[in-house]
Amino acid sequence: MIYLDNAATTKPLAEAFERARIYAEEKFYNPSALYSEGYAMQGELKTARSALLSKVTDESAFELIFTSCGTESDNQAIFAFARRGNAVTTTGEHSAVFAAFAELKNRGIAEPRYAPLQKDGRVDVDKLLSLVDEKTSFVSVMHVNNEIGSINDINTIAKLLKQKNPRTIFHSDGVQAYGKIPFKLCKEVDLYSVSAHKIGGLKGVGALIKRKSLVLSPYIIGGGQESGRRSGTENTFGIKQFEYAAESKFKDLKTDFERLKVYREKLWERLDKEVYARISPVEGTPYILTVSAIGLRGEILLHMANDKGLIVGTGSACSSNAKTRYSKVVLACGYDEKTADGVLRLSFSAQTTEEEIDQAAEILNEIGRDLKRRMQ
Ligand code: PLP
């Protein structure tokens, strides 16, 4: 089986799993317990926090709160900081942000405003800034788009935003960026969401990176864990496995980035252009190649590929329950419904091999030509 749906989730890294096993089997103590075994777990969490944080920020200015997933991190950020007035985001966001913005309106908290995307999937920064005024409490712009892989320059956006309204809080969903693309957060980014299972960690572990000076009202309250900002007994095994997976990912980040760029281009070169059109921009993340078999249905191709041993996606796995069958992001980029309907998302991990890329191209060409013939 060739797995090219790594933007949906990745296989947990075996080595990280083995290293963390001790926290499931032996060091299973509750970090809030007063005896030494429990207290020692606080130290383990601190090490993990610092390791995960230091990869993308200056630890003196930022802190990290563990959550259960990227969705929780996004929701925590939005519901803590969007206030009366308006809140601005983009039409390309993952549903973890998009649906939460809709909820701001439903609950009468803030008026959501949506900045359009350019054809390449990046937000139109001028239009985004034009939506920001003195009543804008919160702005959220994703770092790497999960459906087509475009990369927003969030540091520049954050700086421009603060020039326009220094009181506005800036959040970015970094779930598809963290551990995959090289970057450091600048101090104008207030909040940044990450998720373990996109980089070889486990599902059910995420984090919200936050500028230290920002006071956060918690979304989940109870026993006061995470310094009162996220209650619930910490998933120590999952957190340590996340720490080790991130260690491994960041160690090879630049070489993986360059290698996958070559693989992504190789896959694109080998695809039959009579069947597939490219959606993903060349400057986007090398971890995602989104194409469209215009006039065919991506969902049918997904099943045909599945039968031949190739697993691919059609967009966001997390939005597969949505009523619309079209890729929301591809439509938001200005493509028509026929193009959006034919979308296949091929997404890679550091474990993806060149042979898999070759075989995937063969399978995709075979099924694409086959379906096209049958549709004529
Ligand atoms: N944000 C983006 C960009 C994503 O791709 C995803 C998952 O696909 C999420 C948020 C949600 O993350 P999680 O699955 O950890 O809740």
Side-chain angles (χ1 to χ4, degrees):
M1 189 64 81
I2 300 169
Y3 182 67
L4 294 189
D5 197 22
N6 290 281
T9 197
T10 52
K11 186 175 176 189
L13 284 178
E15 190 206 314
F17 200 86
E18 277 314 311
R19 280 179 69 192
R21 184 186 286 276
I22 192 167
Y23 299 97
E25 291 178 349
E26 289 170 42
K27 297 184 181 182
F28 57 84
Y29 308 100
N30 189 324
S32 300
L34 298 178
Y35 35 82
S36 57
E37 288 83 352
Y39 187 71
M41 297 311 299
Q42 287 289 344
E44 298 289 355
L45 290 177
K46 194 171 168 212
T47 318
R49 211 182 297 284
S50 163
L52 291 163
L53 197 54
S54 62
K55 305 284 189 288
V56 290
T57 63
D58 164 9
E59 275 187 82
S60 64
F62 288 88
E63 57 194 346
L64 180 145
I65 301 159
F66 287 113
T67 63
S68 67
C69 57
T71 301
E72 184 190 324
S73 304
D74 287 340
N75 274 250
Q76 162 73 80
I78 295 163
F79 290 110
F81 293 104
R83 299 265 150 71
R84 203 135 45 101
N86 66 72
V88 179
T89 189
T90 82
T91 52
E93 299 297 309
H94 185 274
S95 49
V97 169
F98 206 75
F101 264 71
E103 194 58 18
L104 290 176
K105 184 178 165 76
N106 294 341
R107 295 185 191 177
I109 298 172
E111 174 213 338
R113 294 180 175 176
Y114 301 94
L117 302 187
Q118 304 175 142
K119 192 89 177 179
D120 65 6
R122 288 178 303 155
V123 66
D124 182 324
V125 179
D126 290 338
K127 293 203 172 126
L128 178 93
L129 292 171
S130 74
L131 296 174
V132 173
D133 57 28
E134 72 284 357
K135 288 193 177 151
T136 306
S137 54
F138 186 81
V139 172
S140 185
V141 176
M142 73 196 317
H143 197 175
V144 170
N145 186 283
N146 55 297
E147 291 197 35
I148 69 170
S150 337
I151 303 175
N152 285 308
D153 181 356
I154 57 164
N155 282 344
T156 301
I157 294 172
K159 284 178 187 158
L160 292 169
L161 171 69
K162 298 284 173 166
Q163 277 168 23
K164 181 137 194 212
N165 183 347
R167 281 174 292 117
T168 304
I169 303 298
F170 183 73
H171 164 256
S172 181
D173 176 339
V175 168
Q176 296 288 349
Y178 184 85
K180 296 182 178 181
I181 66 165
F183 74 95
K184 291 274 181 199
L185 292 176
C186 70
K187 65 176 184 350
E188 284 81 4
V189 176
D190 298 295
L191 297 150
Y192 192 75
S193 304
V194 303
S195 178
H197 74 101
K198 307 292 185 182
I199 58 159
L202 300 178
K203 292 156 203 64
V205 184
L208 181 63
I209 293 172
K210 174 181 95 52
R211 190 163 49 72
K212 266 187 187 162
S213 52
L214 204 62
V215 179
L216 177 128
S217 65
Y219 189 56
I220 297 182
I221 52 174
Q225 288 89 347
E226 297 294 291
S227 306
R229 282 156 320 178
R230 201 283 182 181
S231 289
T233 304
E234 298 88 344
N235 175 359
T236 43
F237 170 66
I239 288 170
K240 292 306 277 187
Q241 198 269 354
F242 184 20
E243 174 192 348
Y244 301 143
E247 212 172 88
S248 153
K249 286 290 310 177
F250 276 92
K251 181 166 59 66
D252 299 326
L253 192 142
K254 288 203 174 117
T255 44
D256 288 341
F257 186 88
E258 294 305 326
R259 183 167 41 83
L260 288 176
K261 234 193 238 177
V262 175
Y263 287 4
R264 183 194 60 176
E265 290 314 304
K266 184 171 189 204
L267 180 51
W268 170 239
E269 271 163 31
R270 298 196 56 178
L271 287 182
D272 185 344
K273 310 299 181 295
E274 297 286 313
V275 180
Y276 298 104
R278 181 172 181 149
I279 306 289
S280 290
V282 175
E283 309 74 33
T285 175
Y287 283 79
I288 295 177
L289 174 66
T290 297
V291 296
S292 173
I294 301 168
L296 306 180
R297 279 193 67 185
E299 197 183 322
I300 296 176
L301 288 170
L302 177 148
H303 292 301
M304 289 171 79
N306 204 181
D307 289 343
K308 293 196 175 289
L310 170 66
I311 297 180
V312 299
T314 52
S316 173
C318 317
S319 67
S320 58
N321 295 332
K323 286 190 193 82
T324 167
R325 75 185 211 208
Y326 302 119
S327 162
K328 174 172 76 65
V329 173
V330 173
L331 289 177
C333 291
Y335 292 97
D336 59 13
E337 288 188 350
K338 231 170 143 184
T339 307
D341 201 20
V343 161
L344 283 183
R345 181 184 66 182
L346 316 163
S347 54
F348 321 114
S349 79
Q351 278 66 45
T352 304
T353 65
E354 201 165 0
E355 293 80 68
E356 288 178 323
I357 293 289
D358 292 340
Q359 286 170 27
E362 257 175 55
I363 293 171
L364 289 167
N365 284 339
E366 190 186 327
I367 61 170
R369 286 170 190 148
D370 182 17
L371 187 61
K372 198 168 174 181
R373 221 176 7 251
R374 284 198 265 148
M375 299 294 291
Q376 278 163 358

